[in-house]
Amino acid sequence: MRRRRFAGRPSVSQLPRVVDPPGDIFNRYFVDRGAPVVLVGSRMFGDTCLTLDDIIHRCTDTIEVKVRTDYSDPTKRKLHKMRLRDYVEKHVRSRDQDEIEGASDCHPPYTVNTSITMDELRKLGLSDPPPFDGKSFEHPHLWLGPKGSLTRLHYDSRDNLLCQLVGTKRFLLYPPSQIRWLYTYGYAPTWSRVHDPRQPDLNAFPLFGRASPIELTLKAGEILYLPARWSHFVQNPDLSLMFNFWT
């Protein structure tokens, strides 16, 4: 698929929010152009307004999650597995979230990139995501984190749909044209050596000072379409549950 991409600095300070666009509109104006957008009122969510308790009741006995405990080096992340129900009891319910600071060096254990089946997703009352022109989705992945958990600055090699179910997520987004200033390395995902763009070391990474992000808060019931090679730093300002789909 040939795609016209954003060039130079982002031309807007925030992403557009579009109410449940038809598939042809979504593909023509966003997918084909590699332009991120927030979808609101999606039929994927239906009338669902779930809480964490709803999710535990409906499907946690069947889901084993991957938990990240070491944020120091994103290429050598320490992961261990546990039941989702056990993770919630140990790391969510027992934690005094008001004491967690998002910019702290000590971040809470975070459930990341856990594959689940479409049947498990449908148990939550959710449907398949909006269509892409000529492209199919992988199975969904679950991300659940307490306040203060985060994902360091990086980009993916595939288009992504991020479906926020509970809580909010804060993003700093950088278009592909700014990759040359982000000191990237690795592949799938490609990480930035500037791990936390909120507190960059401009003596070590002077070109990063030229980068200009788009800030976004994704709310429950919204979907972020993020094209491939859009770099993103993600923070959970409160308890957050999201599912994502890569193409």
Side-chain angles (χ1 to χ4, degrees):
M1 178 176 62
R2 298 185 64 181
R3 171 178 283 179
R4 293 176 290 170
R5 294 193 177 274
F6 279 26
R9 292 176 178 263
S11 58
V12 294
S13 60
Q14 60 184 12
L15 297 188
R17 280 179 157 85
V18 179
V19 178
D20 196 23
D24 60 336
I25 298 298
F26 174 54
N27 284 293
R28 183 188 312 162
Y29 290 101
F30 300 104
V31 177
D32 291 350
R33 300 182 181 188
V37 63
V38 175
L39 308 178
V40 299
S42 172
R43 287 164 289 179
M44 177 183 176
F45 293 101
D47 296 326
T48 302
C49 184
L50 295 178
T51 66
L52 187 60
D53 287 335
D54 295 328
I55 292 160
I56 293 174
H57 176 72
R58 295 186 187 189
C59 67
T60 50
D61 284 337
T62 62
I63 296 178
E64 186 179 59
V65 297
K66 296 186 294 185
V67 181
R68 181 171 64 198
T69 57
D70 183 6
Y71 292 71
S72 58
D73 185 344
T75 64
K76 299 178 181 178
R77 293 172 291 177
K78 296 179 181 178
L79 298 173
H80 65 275
K81 293 184 177 181
M82 61 193 305
R83 290 195 314 162
L84 179 55
R85 182 185 299 275
D86 296 335
Y87 169 81
V88 170
E89 294 300 326
K90 182 176 181 180
H91 297 299
V92 176
R93 296 201 188 281
S94 64
R95 192 174 187 92
D96 183 359
Q97 296 185 14
D98 291 337
E99 294 182 1
I100 302 171
E101 295 294 336
S104 170
D105 290 334
C106 181
H107 299 291
Y110 185 14
T111 293
V112 298
N113 201 19
T114 296
S115 298
I116 66 171
T117 67
M118 284 303 303
D119 285 342
E120 289 170 327
L121 191 69
R122 293 186 184 109
K123 285 182 181 179
L124 300 176
L126 305 178
S127 62
D128 294 357
F132 274 54
D133 185 16
K135 305 184 79 171
S136 60
F137 292 104
E138 281 190 354
H139 46 267
H141 296 78
L142 180 151
W143 305 72
L144 171 64
K147 177 181 178 181
S149 50
L150 57 81
T151 301
R152 296 191 183 279
L153 183 59
H154 70 288
Y155 70 79
D156 300 300
S157 59
R158 296 172 290 175
D159 288 1
N160 196 354
L161 280 181
L162 303 99
C163 309
Q164 189 70 21
L165 194 58
V166 175
T168 59
K169 281 187 179 295
R170 290 178 183 162
F171 291 81
L172 295 179
L173 304 172
Y174 300 83
S177 58
Q178 297 191 18
I179 289 174
R180 63 187 183 273
W181 299 324
L182 303 186
Y183 297 89
T184 57
Y185 66 99
Y187 179 74
T190 297
W191 296 97
S192 170
R193 289 184 170 83
V194 183
H195 293 167
D196 188 341
R198 299 170 302 176
Q199 299 175 319
D201 182 349
L202 296 182
N203 290 323
F205 308 109
L207 292 180
F208 186 77
R210 302 182 183 182
S212 178
I214 297 174
E215 298 185 23
L216 169 71
T217 297
L218 191 68
K219 304 173 185 177
E222 295 183 334
I223 299 174
L224 169 62
Y225 165 63
L226 193 64
R229 302 182 77 244
W230 271 77
S231 300
H232 46 292
F233 171 85
V234 190
Q235 180 198 6
N236 295 325
D238 48 32
L239 175 68
S240 172
L241 173 63
M242 178 199 78
F243 294 95
N244 83 300
F245 299 83
W246 279 295
T247 61

